[in-house]
Amino acid sequence: MKTAYAYARFSSDNQREESIDAQVRAINEYCAKEGIKLLRVFKDEAFSARTDKRPAFQELFGLIKTHPADYLIVHKSDRFARSRADDAFYRAKLKEAGMRLVSVLERFDDTPESIIMEGLMASLNEYYSANLSRESKKGIKENVLKGKRNGGKAPFGYTCVNQHLVPNKDSETVKAFFRMYAEGKKLADIAKTLKLPFVNYQAVLKNEVYLGTLISKEWRKENAHEAIIDRETWDLCQKRIKDSPFNASHKAKFPYLLSGILECGTCGKRMVAVSCGQKYFYY
């Protein structure tokens, strides 16, 4: 009896895609019909196929090095990859292991015509992914320009009404927080007096949403909604943050020219300047 592994996936950027359960059900029905023994199902939930950085996917290809089967079965080829490069690379890995990729809904065989069709499907899958990303960015930009929020929890002090931020009763606490900080009061005293529900004070103090500015990815729109903080109070707070002795830039012994500029290419977080003696510097 022929044996197979199954791979199922859905991505968080398109919840209309077939669920994991529906994919596995279709694969089980296919195996029963074709007389194939399904050894194991690998599942990646909320992972895009634009990259191969998928836990179950990598576990699968680690396993087939030592325990290959006859087939790797997917519901559709776009569950396998949405990158032509990844598609070709991992199909080659399967071939090395003596395995063949099988799509339940797209029937390919070993004919030359199927090779062309598989390449065409890989291109279409990549196009779909790239086009979806473009349309998503376009929608985000349009929302920002219209002053609409693109999802997520509304910042403290605001309520989201029909995608627009509207100040609520907590906005008075935000005003008091900014005002007291601008007056020079200590953060610990402010927090104790106002019983603040948040702990990342600087994140709030630097959040331009309280100026009425809407920011999403690379787009921003000023006067997008009603501001809670006036410009004068905002500027006083930013000056105090900059002049604070606790600001890392005031404690550095050497001028780190890229401080506050460099970001990690993997996680997107700010990189921190470090020195090793007086000779080696790195981020």
Side-chain angles (χ1 to χ4, degrees):
M1 176 180 283
K2 297 289 187 179
T3 59
Y5 294 118
Y7 177 72
R9 178 194 65 81
F10 80 85
S11 56
S12 57
D13 60 359
N14 188 352
Q15 296 302 329
R16 292 172 298 174
E17 293 178 304
E18 297 87 351
S19 70
I20 294 287
D21 290 342
Q23 292 175 51
V24 173
R25 188 181 307 114
I27 291 171
N28 277 316
E29 290 173 356
Y30 175 84
C31 288
K33 180 181 177 181
E34 299 295 329
I36 299 172
K37 181 180 179 181
L38 189 58
L39 301 176
R40 183 175 169 186
V41 178
F42 292 83
K43 305 175 184 178
D44 275 318
E45 298 184 11
F47 279 92
S48 170
R50 284 176 285 183
T51 172
D52 63 354
K53 293 180 175 60
R54 292 170 263 154
F57 189 78
Q58 289 301 325
E59 184 185 359
L60 164 65
F61 276 88
L63 178 63
I64 66 173
K65 290 179 181 179
T66 54
H67 296 81
D70 293 297
Y71 308 112
L72 171 60
I73 304 178
V74 294
H75 187 226
K76 288 176 63 180
S77 59
D78 61 3
R79 303 301 88 199
F80 181 70
R82 283 196 186 276
S83 158
R84 285 173 296 172
D86 284 346
D87 185 88
F89 179 80
Y90 285 101
R91 281 181 188 267
K93 289 286 186 183
L94 290 174
K95 189 174 182 179
E96 287 176 14
M99 296 177 62
R100 186 163 70 87
L101 181 67
V102 173
S103 167
V104 173
L105 297 184
E106 302 149 344
R107 301 300 176 88
F108 300 117
D109 51 34
D110 296 324
T111 63
E113 290 77 14
S114 283
I115 294 174
I116 295 175
M117 290 304 298
E118 286 176 351
L120 178 60
M121 288 305 302
S123 296
L124 289 173
N125 291 337
E126 184 169 348
Y127 163 77
Y128 174 86
S129 181
N131 187 58
L132 181 65
S133 176
R134 178 176 61 186
E135 292 303 312
S136 176
K137 287 180 179 179
K138 186 193 298 182
I140 291 172
K141 179 181 179 181
E142 286 303 310
N143 279 345
V144 170
L145 295 178
K146 293 177 181 177
K148 293 183 177 182
R149 187 170 173 80
N150 282 298
K153 184 178 180 181
F156 180 75
Y158 282 107
T159 299
C160 194
V161 180
N162 296 326
Q163 289 187 267
H164 292 276
L165 292 177
V166 178
N168 57 30
K169 58 183 179 60
D170 293 321
S171 63
E172 294 303 317
T173 301
V174 174
K175 287 180 182 178
F177 174 52
F178 274 83
R179 184 184 67 251
M180 293 170 74
Y181 186 78
E183 291 171 352
K185 291 183 172 58
K186 295 181 179 179
L187 282 171
D189 294 337
I190 298 173
K192 186 176 180 180
T193 300
L194 298 177
K195 297 181 174 56
L196 297 176
F198 47 82
V199 293
N200 194 341
Y201 307 123
Q202 287 217 1
V204 174
L205 289 166
K206 292 180 179 180
N207 195 342
E208 293 183 70
V209 72
Y210 296 114
L211 271 178
T213 301
L214 192 61
I215 301 174
S216 186
K217 297 187 181 296
E218 63 263 44
W219 299 289
R220 60 181 288 132
K221 180 178 175 59
E222 297 182 0
N223 302 315
H225 51 264
E226 183 180 344
I228 292 177
I229 306 303
D230 61 82
R231 172 59 69 174
E232 182 181 0
T233 302
W234 171 269
D235 288 342
L236 287 171
C237 289
Q238 304 316 303
K239 184 177 186 305
R240 186 180 173 193
I241 292 172
K242 183 179 179 181
D243 295 341
S244 171
F246 298 103
N247 191 320
S249 63
H250 293 293
K251 295 188 288 184
K253 296 180 180 179
F254 309 98
Y256 297 103
L257 301 180
L258 299 178
S259 289
I261 298 175
L262 281 186
E263 294 180 349
C264 174
T266 301
C267 69
K269 292 184 179 180
R270 291 282 176 88
M271 299 186 77
V272 180
V274 181
S275 65
C276 184
Q278 297 186 18
K279 190 173 181 180
Y280 301 105
F281 306 89
Y282 60 95
Y283 290 84

